[in-house]
Amino acid sequence: PKCQTLSKERWIDNQKNNLLNVGYFHVVFTIPDTLNTLVFQNQKELYTILFKAAAQTLQELSSDKKYLGATLGFTSILHTWGQNLMHHPHLHCIVPGGGLNSIGKWVSSRKKFFLPVKVLSRKFRGKFLYYLKQVDLKFYGEQNYLSNPTSFNGFLSELYQKEWIVYCKPPFKNAACVVEYLGRYTHRVAISNSRILSLENGNVSFKWRDYKNANKWKVMNVSADEFIRRFLIHILPARFMKIRHYGLLGNRNKASKLILCKKLTSTPILPFEKASTLQLIQKITGKDASKCPHCGSDKLSRYMGFGNAPPITTQTA
């Protein structure tokens, strides 16, 4: 695994222009673990349903005047792993504390409260299972019994009876915190280099946080083959989009409604200046990559020699 820090910083830089001067909430949609194997066997279809069900849940509840009565603009990011690298699909959604109503006015949510989590979870459950019944699913191995309609209906009935987990984290302090926080989720892979402790005698040791045991850090030892298997579980289907924008952040609305929202929320409308790779590297490392690390000169040159021929000098900065 790699840290992807440069890719993350480039993405963050591009998203800063979409932020509003309002509070933001972090909403996480999780499916029951009894669905994990079925989802893994039908990744493209069921990851799509996960996005669709979560988005419609947020959009429909926020448009209800009982809760907000406005259209949101939010970003959803798919993660497929838990701390132990096993399959655990869930969505992280970054949602502004307010939206645009039908007459073009900004409606703010409560500062410390977005939508009731029980209402969110039950709406999400209904949406997901409704779409699950519409999909032509494939069943393999232990899941093959679900190809029987009676067994599948019983499976659905159990899922309808479960309380699904949706939780909403406290709002961020400001918009700058939002985009930095969001960047941590968008370009995170199943495990970072820093969590891998050792590779010895064909075994890998890595740190993981046990959320079921007071968030304690523990060490897990698995064979190299098992580690690779777990890591590869999280490679998404080809060309599958793991980051999606909805509502006011959708492509159709960005050009007009987002500008209006900025005006209504007193968000400065500034010309977008894309940071260069050198600027991003300096932000990450604190060092100016255009200057020589030894003498500090900003006129770096590359020398290429071929046999006995004199070197060719190419100025690079």
Side-chain angles (χ1 to χ4, degrees), residues 65 67 121 132 194 217:
K65 291 183 179 179
Y67 300 112
S121 63
L132 182 64
S194 61
W217 280 104

Side-chain angles (χ1 to χ4, degrees), residues 197-212:
L197 302 177
S198 66
L199 171 57
E200 296 177 349
N201 302 318
N203 293 303
V204 178
S205 297
F206 64 91
K207 292 190 300 182
W208 69 291
R209 193 187 293 274
D210 188 350
Y211 294 123
K212 293 182 179 179

Side-chain angles (χ1 to χ4, degrees), residues 44-54 128 131-132 135:
K44 187 174 182 180
E45 294 80 7
L46 297 194
Y47 289 157
T48 299
I49 286 177
L50 180 56
F51 271 109
K52 189 174 183 178
F128 188 97
Y131 289 119
L132 182 64
V135 179

Side-chain angles (χ1 to χ4, degrees), residues 68-71 99-107:
L68 189 64
T71 300
L100 200 63
N101 68 12
S102 58
I103 59 172
K105 301 293 184 182
W106 181 262
V107 181

Side-chain angles (χ1 to χ4, degrees), residues 11-253:
W11 188 88
I12 287 174
D13 185 61
N14 291 335
Q15 298 305 310
K16 285 181 178 177
N17 203 40
N18 296 333
L19 291 176
L20 301 174
N21 186 29
V22 299
Y24 279 78
F25 294 87
H26 180 188
V27 184
V28 183
F29 291 88
T30 305
I31 60 174
D33 56 9
T34 50
L35 272 167
N36 288 354
T37 302
L38 184 62
V39 172
F40 184 71
Q41 293 179 357
N42 299 269
Q43 292 182 52
K44 187 174 182 180
E45 294 80 7
L46 297 194
Y47 289 157
T48 299
I49 286 177
L50 180 56
F51 271 109
K52 189 174 183 178
Q56 290 186 0
T57 295
L58 288 170
Q59 289 169 326
E60 290 180 16
L61 289 176
S62 63
S63 64
D64 189 335
K65 291 183 179 179
K66 180 180 177 182
Y67 300 112
L68 189 64
T71 300
L72 299 173
F74 58 95
T75 298
S76 298
I77 306 116
L78 173 66
H79 279 184
T80 61
W81 56 84
Q83 280 278 309
N84 59 4
L85 298 187
M86 297 300 284
H87 193 231
H88 173 57
H90 55 284
L91 276 188
H92 295 271
C93 302
I94 306 300
V95 188
L100 200 63
N101 68 12
S102 58
I103 59 172
K105 301 293 184 182
W106 181 262
V107 181
S108 297
S109 68
R110 300 180 192 177
K111 289 185 178 180
K112 296 185 178 181
F113 178 80
F114 179 57
L115 291 169
V117 289
K118 275 197 173 181
V119 176
L120 279 169
S121 63
R122 290 173 184 176
K123 183 83 166 178
F124 172 61
R125 177 184 63 191
K127 289 284 184 184
F128 188 97
L129 294 179
Y130 170 79
Y131 289 119
L132 182 64
K133 291 183 284 188
Q134 317 301 318
V135 179
D136 182 17
L137 297 168
K138 304 294 188 295
F139 306 103
Y140 304 99
E142 294 179 355
Q143 299 292 301
N144 194 49
Y145 79 99
L146 293 174
S147 59
N148 180 290
T150 302
S151 298
F152 186 70
N153 288 334
F155 179 68
L156 288 176
S157 180
E158 291 178 4
L159 289 169
Y160 272 114
Q161 293 170 23
K162 284 180 176 286
E163 286 292 343
W164 290 33
I165 298 175
V166 176
Y167 60 91
C168 183
K169 295 187 177 182
F172 299 93
K173 293 181 180 179
N174 53 55
C177 293
V178 177
V179 77
E180 295 294 335
Y181 186 84
L182 189 55
R184 285 165 45 191
Y185 283 90
T186 54
H187 289 79
R188 182 180 288 179
V189 292
I191 188 170
S192 61
N193 292 6
S194 61
R195 284 177 53 203
I196 300 174
L197 302 177
S198 66
L199 171 57
E200 296 177 349
N201 302 318
N203 293 303
V204 178
S205 297
F206 64 91
K207 292 190 300 182
W208 69 291
R209 193 187 293 274
D210 188 350
Y211 294 123
K212 293 182 179 179
N213 187 11
N215 288 342
K216 289 183 179 179
W217 280 104
K218 298 182 179 181
V219 175
M220 183 171 291
N221 298 288
V222 296
S223 68
D225 288 344
E226 173 61 13
F227 180 83
I228 293 170
R229 185 193 72 82
R230 293 191 190 189
F231 189 78
L232 294 180
I233 284 173
H234 310 294
I235 296 177
L236 297 176
R239 294 180 293 279
F240 190 86
M241 299 297 293
K242 72 171 186 176
I243 305 172
R244 304 187 184 191
H245 304 285
Y246 295 93
L248 301 175
L249 293 182
N251 289 333
R252 289 183 299 175
N253 295 319

